Structure formats: structure tokens, C-alpha cells
Amino acid sequence: METDDRSRRRFAVRRDHQAGSIIASSLRDEYEVYRRLDGSDVPIARVLWFEEDPEWMPDGRPAYVRELVDGDWRLPALDDHSLDGDAKRIRLSKEHLVS
């Protein structure tokens, strides 16, 4: 999609698998979390809209659209089973503790 300033924007469409969600929260809940984090200090891919009208989706499944950002969801040291990898995973997990 081109915007008025001629910059390019990339988008991602997020839908559940045909068999249903593979995580405990609903797709709508996931969208709402992203939407509420917009403008906070938490870096997120900005969500644009949630679509649940089956006329707009190829197989009727709801979806949401978000901006596509560069990055990787994989955590460093996740597959490193050494003592150093253990220490890295513990350090990373502490970054997500809520006090």
C-alpha cells in the first residue's frame, strides 16, 4: 500500500488455524492487548482493525490486520541447553517479571 508521502507500508493478517486457536486466549483478546499497548513504552506492531464479517474473509474466519515490522519472535538462547544458555534464559525471564 502506498501512502501520500510515497513511503511503503507492510501489513500482516493474523488469523487462527482452521481447527481453532493454538493458544489459550482468543484472537479478539490478542487484538485488544495490542490495541491497548499502542502508544505505551512496550514495542508492538500497531494493529489497524479487527475483521469478523465473513464476507471479507476467504473462509469466514475472523482476523486482524497489523503493521509488519522487522524482527524475530525467537528468544536468544531458547535452544541453547548449556549452562550459559540457562543463565541467559533466566536473565531474559527476569526482564518480564512484574513488580
Side-chain angles (χ1 to χ4, degrees):
M1 171 179 178
E2 287 199 28
T3 58
D4 292 338
D5 64 357
R6 300 287 183 209
S7 63
R8 303 279 300 171
R9 293 176 67 192
R10 300 178 304 155
F11 302 95
V13 176
R14 169 74 174 89
R15 304 187 315 162
D16 282 334
H17 189 274
Q18 286 181 327
S21 179
I22 61 169
I23 59 175
S25 62
S26 72
L27 191 66
R28 171 63 91 164
D29 289 344
E30 182 180 320
Y31 166 81
E32 289 297 331
V33 168
Y34 277 113
R35 188 181 66 77
R36 292 174 185 176
L37 287 172
D38 190 22
S40 73
D41 291 336
V42 178
I44 60 157
R46 191 170 141 244
V47 292
L48 303 171
W49 74 86
F50 188 88
E51 186 59 64
E52 52 193 345
D53 184 344
E55 301 250 341
W56 287 95
M57 303 313 292
D59 57 6
R61 287 184 284 154
Y64 69 84
V65 178
R66 66 180 180 218
E67 292 180 336
L68 184 63
V69 296
D70 293 328
D72 194 330
W73 60 269
R74 292 172 289 202
L75 294 174
L78 192 61
D79 293 329
D80 182 354
H81 300 290
S82 69
L83 290 177
D84 187 48
D86 289 344
K88 287 178 185 175
R89 281 192 299 282
I90 291 168
R91 189 174 63 249
L92 285 169
S93 68
K94 288 181 179 179
E95 290 179 11
H96 299 281
L97 292 176
V98 178
S99 46

